[in-house]
Amino acid sequence: MAHGYPGTFLTLEGPEGAGKTTQVKLLSTKLDAIGIPHLITRDPGGTPLGKQIRRVLLTPGNPVSPMAELLLYSADRAQHVDELIIPALKAGKLVICDRYTDSTVAYQGYGRNLDLELISQLNGMSTQGLKPELTILFDLESEKGLGRLHPGGHDRMEREAIEFHHRVRKGYLELVKKEPERWQVIDASKALSAVQDELKQIICTAFGKRFDLSQL
Ligand code: Z5A
């Protein structure tokens, strides 16, 4: 446990419509059923403060400058890590977070072209240095992911131009190349059940010695 807490920290990443939310719900039901102490949460919006920030960030038509956007995602994360994630890790839980710092690198760094070094510093500050042990990328072509959502996208980020979404995907793939030991990549274009099986297999292989996941 590189972070020094007794719990386990897993993050899920990917472009819009990749299926993270769907898979996390299925996983949560299963973890409840087999009695694994866990916290399923998400960035942005994991805390009451985060829910307010999420509304500001995702409401279509809200004028938010790229730097303000970066700081709002970081503020959401600072509260989230302090209020929910670290206490759950201290309690020994399996924490699964739908998006985390890699989203900021992919969307604000690669997508908005903000300085990657500045983002790295902000990510370190907002998380108190807390890094996930494993990150799973649900990789999917931007067009396919957006095609699974409402036509035209329903929130401020989804409505960005397709070039923005291409840069985000490229960003994720570069992050995987830079730190391959932390990442596992799932081909999210596969059928829902195939993605579910692959996700379970990755989690069991990574954490099966810490939690009894034989019934997952
Ligand atoms: N963002 C950022 O810019 N910077 C940051 O630091 C952070 C986030 C943390 C959060 O919104 C937005 O904030 C997000 C990134 C940005 N950009 N946007 N938009 P969110 O939490 O609402 O967004 P999301 O995480 O991308 O959720 P999503 O768009 O709904 O995607 P998803 O959770 O990966 O997919 P899903 O909801 O599970 O599935 C989408 C649809 O596809 C749904 O109808 C499913 O039934 C269907 N689906 C799922 N799996 C499959 C398969 N395998 N085949 C076919 N259809 C499927």
Side-chain angles (χ1 to χ4, degrees):
M1 284 148 275
H3 46 64
Y5 300 109
T8 296
F9 189 26
L10 165 69
T11 58
L12 308 181
E13 294 283 354
E16 278 67 45
K20 296 176 283 76
T21 310
T22 307
Q23 294 297 339
V24 141
K25 277 188 195 148
L26 294 167
L27 197 58
S28 177
T29 308
K30 203 72 201 178
L31 290 169
D32 277 336
I34 63 173
I36 302 294
H38 67 280
L39 169 72
I40 303 266
T41 187
R42 69 170 178 183
D43 259 10
T47 63
L49 175 66
K51 286 188 176 65
Q52 296 183 52
I53 296 175
R54 181 182 170 89
R55 207 171 315 121
V56 171
L57 279 166
L58 298 183
T59 302
N62 254 3
V64 184
S65 76
M67 184 55 73
E69 183 179 280
L70 169 63
L71 293 170
L72 284 166
Y73 278 112
S74 301
D76 163 76
R77 186 163 304 118
Q79 185 70 25
H80 194 194
V81 166
D82 196 62
E83 185 178 328
L84 272 190
I85 297 179
I86 287 182
L89 290 174
K90 281 185 178 165
K93 293 184 183 175
L94 170 59
V95 176
I96 302 178
C97 192
D98 186 349
R99 299 194 179 280
Y100 192 61
T101 48
D102 296 302
S103 282
T104 316
V105 179
Y107 283 81
Q108 281 63 55
Y110 286 83
R112 299 273 188 236
N113 294 313
L114 292 179
D115 183 61
L116 292 175
E117 183 47 41
L118 171 70
I119 290 174
S120 169
Q121 285 175 20
L122 274 171
N123 278 346
M125 283 163 61
S126 63
T127 60
Q128 306 174 37
L130 177 69
K131 290 186 179 157
E133 291 148 79
L134 174 69
T135 300
I136 301 175
L137 173 63
F138 288 67
D139 183 42
L140 186 66
E141 279 175 25
S142 317
E143 286 81 356
K144 277 197 185 146
L146 292 168
R148 288 178 179 174
L149 307 175
H150 306 284
H154 60 262
D155 70 35
R156 198 177 62 82
M157 303 298 284
E158 285 165 6
R159 290 182 181 194
E160 284 296 328
I162 192 69
E163 293 74 21
F164 172 86
H165 295 288
H166 287 161
R167 290 197 298 278
V168 169
R169 182 175 184 224
K170 179 170 171 271
Y172 275 128
L173 296 175
E174 290 198 8
L175 280 168
V176 174
K177 260 195 236 157
K178 276 187 203 158
E179 224 184 333
E181 63 291 347
R182 176 167 64 88
W183 291 82
Q184 291 280 341
V185 181
I186 294 180
D187 175 358
S189 70
K190 289 186 189 165
L192 210 145
S193 59
V195 173
Q196 192 184 0
D197 288 347
E198 206 173 327
L199 177 63
K200 278 187 202 170
Q201 202 182 347
I202 291 172
I203 292 177
C204 289
T205 304
F207 306 127
K209 286 200 180 115
R210 295 187 214 169
F211 300 94
D212 180 5
L213 298 170
S214 52
Q215 302 301 313
L216 193 67

